[in-house]
Amino acid sequence: MAKRSYSRKGSKIQPAAMTLTFNYDVAENPNAFIDLSQVASLVNRRFYRQGINWAVAGFKVLTTGTGQIQISKLPNTWVMSNSWEKSFRTWTKMNAEAMEETPSIRPKFLDFKIYADAAHHQLGFGANLLPVSSGLGAFAPGEWIPSKAVVPFGPASPGNTAEFEFVATGGNFPGISPVTNFNAVSLIEGYAASRSLPYAEDPNTPVDADDASGSTPENWMSAIFNTGTDQTTEVLDSMVDENNIAPYPFEGDGSSVDTMYPGGANQGPGLQIHDVELVTATTIGGTTRLKGGNFPCGLVNIASTIDGQITLQIDLVPGNHRGYLCEPMTEM
């Protein structure tokens, strides 16, 4: 009997570190950030782009103190997905046009890298948590540089440009980072500003739509069916006056004066809360678990009030993208 082969070259999962461990003092870093693509690049000595939607199996937190821990991420919405892709396409086009005559200078590890929010931008990538090994020594960082948009002033000041870094959420121009000396522009706000607005009323019905009664009805097609009932007029009144405005606020809706995209400057600003847990004196073994999920761009925010040192472990999921289960942000 021929020996059966269980090896399939096309579906082989590459070896990759599945558990990432971090040690840090909450007092020194109460609002910490992790970039899973940066960390995976370090522990595997293999380049992972930031533009990946990462699958996370779960989080485990080991503590000796008490307090609260909250994990947040980029919003898991079509708004965030489209904002990232349009910003990425714009940045790529900017680079392509600049390198049109000298394509050979394109860096091998050119990548669209962004900050999660204004707080992340203020801290800089140098403050990102890095993993530790069994000897509790942190991995040394490699080059991980934020991307920039170079914006000409236009007719107001020909020949001049301004450079900005990128934040995924919140408003434009949150302030100059003391680490990089650059201000930033928002992916979500940039996307919102580039799109048309909904109609104030949809459908925008004609004034005569409910004129379906009397001897000279303008809406005579509806009036034809007025056979012994006044129902149609009342129904049309409801159709005209109700359920014709979007169930979310938007600029020009009669009360909002600016764009109102979730995660932007004015509607649910900032990151999306993923999970929250309280660590108390009765927490068994000082071990707290938080749920897994998908993390766009691999950006994880850990806000904590726990006393003292904590150990955080992140379990990833095996898959076919260089050992991990994840997908490009362009397919989110």
Side-chain angles (χ1 to χ4, degrees), residues 12-18 20 35-50 52 54 108-109 111 113 131 139-144 316-326:
K12 180 182 178 182
I13 295 178
Q14 297 182 31
M18 287 296 135
L20 309 174
D35 188 327
L36 293 178
S37 295
Q38 178 189 25
V39 173
S41 297
L42 292 175
V43 298
N44 296 297
R45 203 174 185 271
R46 181 190 294 149
F47 177 42
Y48 291 85
R49 297 188 181 278
Q50 195 196 64
I52 294 174
W54 284 81
K108 179 178 180 179
F109 301 106
D111 185 34
K113 299 186 185 74
F139 279 70
E143 183 179 82
W144 201 257
L316 301 176
V317 182
N320 290 319
H321 182 81
R322 293 189 163 190
Y324 296 109
L325 178 62
C326 49

Side-chain angles (χ1 to χ4, degrees), residues 39-262:
V39 173
S41 297
L42 292 175
V43 298
N44 296 297
R45 203 174 185 271
R46 181 190 294 149
F47 177 42
Y48 291 85
R49 297 188 181 278
Q50 195 196 64
I52 294 174
N53 190 9
W54 284 81
V56 174
F59 300 83
K60 182 169 71 173
V61 182
L62 304 175
T63 60
T64 55
T66 59
Q68 177 179 291
I69 185 166
Q70 173 179 294
I71 293 180
S72 301
K73 62 182 181 180
L74 303 192
N76 195 31
T77 62
W78 71 265
V79 171
M80 185 71 259
S81 175
N82 288 10
S83 298
W84 185 91
E85 180 155 4
K86 191 163 189 178
S87 300
F88 169 67
R89 301 295 181 194
T90 302
W91 173 81
T92 300
K93 182 179 179 182
M94 176 193 74
N95 290 332
E97 290 182 355
M99 294 187 292
E100 187 174 5
E101 301 301 326
T102 53
S104 61
I105 69 169
R106 187 184 190 280
K108 179 178 180 179
F109 301 106
L110 181 65
D111 185 34
F112 185 51
K113 299 186 185 74
I114 63 173
Y115 295 100
D117 59 7
H120 194 196
H121 177 243
Q122 287 293 304
L123 292 170
F125 285 162
N128 288 352
L129 295 184
L130 298 180
V132 298
S133 64
S134 60
L136 300 183
F139 279 70
E143 183 179 82
W144 201 257
I145 298 176
S147 299
K148 299 179 186 67
V150 181
V151 182
F153 284 9
S157 183
N160 291 312
T161 60
E163 290 186 68
F164 301 102
E165 294 172 331
F166 298 95
V167 292
T169 62
N172 288 316
F173 317 118
I176 294 175
S177 168
V179 178
T180 65
N181 293 319
F182 288 106
N183 210 326
V185 290
S186 165
L187 270 59
I188 289 180
E189 284 297 300
Y191 179 66
S194 73
R195 302 189 74 227
S196 62
L197 295 168
Y199 289 110
E201 293 185 352
D202 190 8
N204 189 2
T205 56
V207 175
D208 293 333
D210 61 351
D211 184 1
S213 62
S215 59
T216 57
E218 291 293 334
N219 191 352
W220 56 267
M221 289 187 179
S222 291
I224 287 174
F225 300 100
N226 290 345
T227 54
T229 177
D230 293 327
Q231 176 187 29
T232 301
T233 297
E234 281 72 21
V235 171
L236 288 176
D237 284 343
S238 296
M239 295 298 105
V240 170
D241 298 333
E242 301 171 2
N243 300 308
N244 53 17
I245 298 178
Y248 45 82
F250 57 91
E251 181 180 353
D253 63 1
S255 59
S256 303
V257 296
D258 201 354
T259 52
M260 301 288 288
Y261 277 56

